[in-house]
Amino acid sequence: MEVGYLGPKNSFTYKAASYYFDDSSLQPYSSITSCLNALTHMQVDYVVVPIENSLEGSVHTSIDGLFHHKDIKVYKEIILPIKQNLLVNDLTIVPEKILSHPQAIAQSQHFLETCYPNVLIEQVPSTTFAAEYVAGHPDESVGAIASKEAAEEYGLEILSENIQDNRFNQTRFWLLGKQPFKIDDSNIQKLSLFITLPKNTPGILHKVLSAFAWREIDLSKIESRPLKTELGEYYFIIDVIIQDNIPLVEHALEEITLLGVTYQHLGCYSIVIKE
Amino acid sequence: MEVGYLGPKNSFTYKAASYYFDDSSLQPYSSITSCLNALTHMQVDYVVVPIENSLEGSVHTSIDGLFHHKDIKVYKEIILPIKQNLLVNDLTIVPEKILSHPQAIAQSQHFLETCYPNVLIEQVPSTTFAAEYVAGHPDESVGAIASKEAAEEYGLEILSENIQDNRFNQTRFWLLGKQPFKIDDSNIQKLSLFITLPKNTPGILHKVLSAFAWREIDLSKIESRPLKTELGEYYFIIDVIIQDNIPLVEHALEEITLLGVTYQHLGCYSIVIKE
């Protein structure tokens, strides 16, 4: 079995994927788009991609990609805490330059502004790249923002730990595939849908939400994304909480179809939250 | 009068701003955050920033920035068509590398994947930067994705025109300020709100939409953004269509307040669509 993920090795997506798959089946891809394409072209059996971060919001490449790859389904959601650390070769080093991926830099903004206001911050393609660079340049006063796993992998020291701005920093990842997935699929907790509303129908979103609300079906998320046709045309991603209410959800979906709404069923799945 | 905008000169934001202000009052800023800070610290009277693109969706730095700068109001919306082009020094060049701003790259994704699948795509700070780089490196086989105006400004040739994925590619810009704006403010067409829902109240978004729907108040947009507290906590940006219904809108806002919703009024404004 081959499983693609947003690489490189030791990325947070790698960490999410390695809870379910051995290293021998994991295959890094350099972008979310190439992960989804690999799945569509059957080069891999499953892929793991990030979907949403609690500070940065939805990962649009993933959401929009899934909207346009209609045969891909969600099998599982994995939620990981995202902890960033400042790594160096030697604890006596005073960094003159700090490298990391733009998102890790954004997540550690407060720490950097407070502790290293005059240090050069340089964007590199990944946190792993940053750690590898630091390990390969012991003569430079340089630090990397990356995970503890990256510190272990590259033999670096942790100068400051948990430097991200918010202790609730978490990312949701989805395990995606085109064929049934076997692990622990009895415990369904959520269903995700893409919904496209009929044009020029005022109040239609309200009617869609009514179909769920009067059946006491909770939605944990609703977000609009552009249809990429013209300004003001959107599709919606809706996450429905599943708890002994599957027949009611089915009725709600029948009803919104009668209202002229089209929907794309992304799958029912369980959620795993890691510490 | 000083007006800040997301620069550099000849950016699409510059074009939007220059419909209302002379070059002599326009002041480029290198980021949306620095535009908003300049306005807050009264270094400028107004700023113009991008809010939403029809392909890419909302500009989160603008939306999230406004959510945290509560005294800034919207005075006007300007909608511009966004046309991207592949620029080179010489039409005989076969580009081995293409530079542009991440958003222009994203807008031209289909073109790049189809015509230049194996070419290195490099992100640079702006489309203007890309055009300037190409002009300054005639010995390199390099192209820039940028506007026709940039081609003129830097004496570049247009290798492919209108390469954006969709011919309806448009961007909404907002003119923002802290003091009343005089131009053409009689013709109010829209009102924008940030809405924060009370916690743990199932179906509350449905109730908020009901308050508008049963009064036949149309919403042209609703979008969620993370509150940056924890996963699953959002605020919403809602655009309300204004047409002889201001008393009804006021009643709807009173009612949602009684439901425990808090809202931030971003202003009522007119919309100008440029060809």
Side-chain angles (χ1 to χ4, degrees), chain A residues 55 60 206 210 222 228 234, chain B residues 52 55 60 166 206 210 228:
Chain A
L55 295 175
H60 296 153
H206 168 248
S210 295
I222 173 165
K228 299 186 191 279
Y234 305 98
Chain B
E52 182 179 13
L55 295 176
H60 296 153
N166 193 304
H206 168 248
S210 296
K228 299 186 193 278

Side-chain angles (χ1 to χ4, degrees), chain A:
Chain A
M1 189 168 54
E2 289 278 303
V3 181
Y5 67 95
L6 176 63
K9 205 184 155 181
N10 285 314
S11 67
F12 286 107
T13 312
Y14 167 80
K15 201 170 163 185
S18 55
Y19 282 113
Y20 292 99
F21 304 100
D22 285 343
D23 253 25
S24 60
S25 48
L26 290 175
Q27 182 75 32
Y29 283 85
S30 64
S31 70
I32 290 167
T33 306
S34 55
C35 282
L36 298 180
N37 287 338
L39 187 57
T40 297
H41 299 131
M42 309 291 269
Q43 291 156 358
V44 292
D45 302 291
Y46 301 104
V47 296
V48 179
V49 295
I51 286 294
E52 183 178 11
N53 173 263
S54 53
L55 295 175
E56 296 291 301
S58 284
V59 180
H60 296 153
T61 321
S62 298
I63 304 277
D64 289 350
L66 284 173
F67 186 71
H68 293 100
H69 283 88
K70 299 199 191 297
D71 51 346
I72 298 181
K73 299 285 173 227
V74 186
Y75 294 128
K76 189 168 282 292
E77 178 165 304
I78 306 147
I79 300 180
L80 285 194
I82 304 295
K83 293 179 181 166
Q84 305 290 3
N85 306 274
L86 180 57
L87 311 182
V88 288
N89 269 305
D90 179 323
L91 290 178
T92 60
I93 282 176
V94 180
E96 288 168 10
K97 188 164 78 169
I98 296 174
L99 311 179
S100 199
H101 184 265
Q103 208 155 23
I105 294 170
Q107 289 168 1
S108 313
Q109 206 56 49
H110 181 73
F111 168 84
L112 292 172
E113 284 171 5
T114 312
C115 303
Y116 295 98
N118 301 315
V119 163
L120 183 68
I121 310 295
E122 205 172 290
Q123 299 187 353
V124 292
S126 68
T127 54
T128 310
F129 180 102
E132 195 176 353
Y133 181 94
V134 170
H137 295 78
D139 50 321
E140 292 185 24
S141 299
V142 61
I145 301 175
S147 65
K148 283 190 178 176
E149 287 77 8
E152 275 168 38
E153 174 94 6
Y154 295 101
L156 297 176
E157 302 281 346
I158 299 174
L159 188 57
S160 305
E161 67 179 336
N162 287 340
I163 62 170
Q164 74 280 353
D165 290 352
N166 191 307
R167 67 193 176 89
F168 293 110
N169 191 16
Q170 288 180 314
T171 295
R172 295 166 59 205
F173 297 88
W174 275 354
L175 170 64
L176 303 167
K178 295 172 80 175
Q179 36 190 306
F181 184 71
K182 295 279 178 271
I183 301 174
D184 177 31
D185 48 7
S186 57
N187 177 30
I188 297 304
Q189 291 162 280
K190 229 165 59 169
L191 176 161
S192 292
L193 299 167
F194 287 136
I195 281 186
T196 312
L197 305 177
K199 274 195 173 185
N200 306 318
T201 314
I204 182 71
L205 181 63
H206 168 248
K207 287 178 189 163
V208 169
L209 295 190
S210 295
F212 293 102
W214 70 45
R215 292 180 172 87
E216 297 191 341
I217 300 165
D218 287 348
L219 307 180
S220 63
K221 172 172 177 144
I222 173 165
E223 181 171 329
S224 61
R225 285 291 303 151
L227 267 175
K228 299 186 191 279
T229 48
E230 52 190 293
L231 264 181
E233 300 287 334
Y234 305 98
Y235 71 90
F236 291 84
I237 178 162
I238 290 184
D239 287 356
V240 181
I241 305 288
I242 298 294
Q243 34 185 200
D244 295 332
N245 57 357
I246 289 180
L248 288 169
V249 172
E250 283 170 351
H251 285 175
L253 293 178
E254 269 175 44
E255 198 164 274
I256 63 171
T257 307
L258 294 172
L259 293 172
V261 171
T262 51
Y263 68 86
Q264 179 182 338
H265 195 313
L266 278 164
C268 292
Y269 51 89
S270 60
I271 305 166
V272 180
I273 303 175
K274 299 287 181 184
E275 290 299 317

